[in-house]
Amino acid sequence: MYYGLRSPQRFFIEAMAKDGDAPSKVSDIAERTGRTTSWAAKYRASLIREHVIESAGYGLVRFSTPHLGDYLRSEILWPEE
């Protein structure tokens, strides 16, 4: 699934993965990526449409795909050497 996403979508979920299992604030994702909130809103919507993430309350998102956050943290962001 990860490699089927566009580069900005991967960037968005990589920023999400840094929150561990907790829901992510969309404003924090925009800040972490150095992008605008409108950029974050655009890719939030595209990832929700593709069922990769889901709303977790006002301004919050979480992974809807099981274990995707774990995969990103272990294999993409901080792979073991």
Side-chain angles (χ1 to χ4, degrees):
M1 171 184 281
Y2 173 79
Y3 295 104
L5 297 173
R6 294 185 310 261
S7 179
Q9 291 173 312
R10 290 194 305 261
F11 194 35
F12 185 102
I13 63 173
E14 288 166 5
M16 275 182 69
K18 294 178 181 180
D19 289 321
D21 293 329
S24 299
K25 290 182 181 178
V26 177
S27 60
D28 288 348
I29 294 167
E31 185 175 321
R32 279 182 205 144
T33 58
R35 309 288 189 193
T36 64
T37 53
S38 62
W39 178 91
K42 174 182 176 179
Y43 288 102
R44 172 192 176 275
S46 73
L47 289 160
I48 288 173
R49 274 194 308 275
E50 294 185 31
H51 306 287
V52 176
I53 66 172
E54 61 191 10
S55 176
Y58 184 78
L60 299 171
V61 290
R62 66 176 160 236
F63 291 107
S64 57
T65 303
H67 310 292
L68 180 57
D70 294 332
Y71 173 78
L72 292 171
R73 286 186 292 278
S74 67
E75 301 296 323
I76 305 298
L77 299 176
W78 304 289
E80 294 180 0
E81 313 240 334

